[in-house]
Each structure stands twice: as structure tokens, then as C-alpha cells.
């Protein structure tokens, strides 16, 4: 337990931020999984649609400071490579 008032505030703020980051991280993972599932199913139209949504979600997470830009680039590249194998 914190002994000072400022430390108590920091505990509250860090918990709030943790929940916010967890929600956005979960949202990103779900979006990526939907793209990969559509690729595995061989559904090209749904995969492209999900890919565009996933890119948007990941970019928003970067803007909000939840995810690093290089991590976002790596995840988007992974999805695009899988999508190219579906079209090839």
C-alpha cells in the first residue's frame, strides 16, 4: 500500500491505464485473428474487408500510445503476407 497521497493517485492512474491498454490490445488481437481466420477459410472478400478493419484498429492503437509503431508495422506485414498467399 502506498504511504503518500501522490503514490495513491499513481496507483489509481496506472490501474486505469492498464485497463485501457488491455482493452485496446485485446481489440487489436481480435482484429488480427479475424483476418487470419478468413485467410485460413479461403474467403478472399471477407479477408480483405477484415484486413482493412484490422489495419485501422492497429493504427488507432499506435496513435493512442498503446502499441509501438514498429510492432504495428510487423503485425500489418504479417497479415498482408498471409493475404498475398490467399490471392496467389
Amino acid at each position: 500500500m502506498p504511504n503518500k497521497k501522490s503514490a495513491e493517485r499513481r496507483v489509481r492512474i496506472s490501474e486505469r491505464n492498464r485497463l485501457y491498454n488491455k482493452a485496446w490490445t485485446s481489440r487489436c488481437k481480435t482484429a488480427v485473428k479475424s483476418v487470419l481466420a478468413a485467410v485460413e477459410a479461403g474467403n478472399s472478400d471477407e479477408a480483405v474487408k477484415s484486413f482493412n478493419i484490422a489495419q485501422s484498429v492497429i493504427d488507432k492503437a499506435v496513435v493512442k500510445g498503446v502499441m509501438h509503431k514498429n510492432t504495428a508495422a510487423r503485425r500489418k506485414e504479417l497479415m498482408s503476407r498471409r493475404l498475398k498467399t490467399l490471392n496467389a
Side-chain angles (χ1 to χ4, degrees), residues 37-85:
V39 169
E40 289 295 319
N43 192 344
S44 180
D45 294 337
E46 187 179 334
V48 170
K49 192 175 179 182
S50 297
F51 178 68
N52 291 334
I53 293 170
Q55 276 188 319
S56 175
V57 169
I58 289 172
D59 289 338
K60 286 177 185 174
V62 171
V63 168
K64 293 173 187 307
V66 174
M67 185 183 293
H68 193 270
K69 64 180 183 174
N70 292 347
T71 304
R74 187 176 67 245
R75 298 230 171 113
K76 290 192 289 189
E77 176 62 23
L78 176 134
M79 290 187 300
S80 68
R81 268 189 274 137
R82 297 278 176 88
L83 200 59
K84 285 179 186 176
T85 61

Side-chain angles (χ1 to χ4, degrees), residues 2 6-24 66:
S6 62
E8 288 175 4
R9 276 197 297 268
R10 291 306 305 167
V11 168
R12 284 197 308 267
I13 291 169
S14 63
E15 178 64 16
R16 182 185 68 207
N17 291 343
R18 184 184 72 82
L19 293 174
Y20 183 80
N21 291 340
K22 184 179 173 186
W24 270 98
V66 174

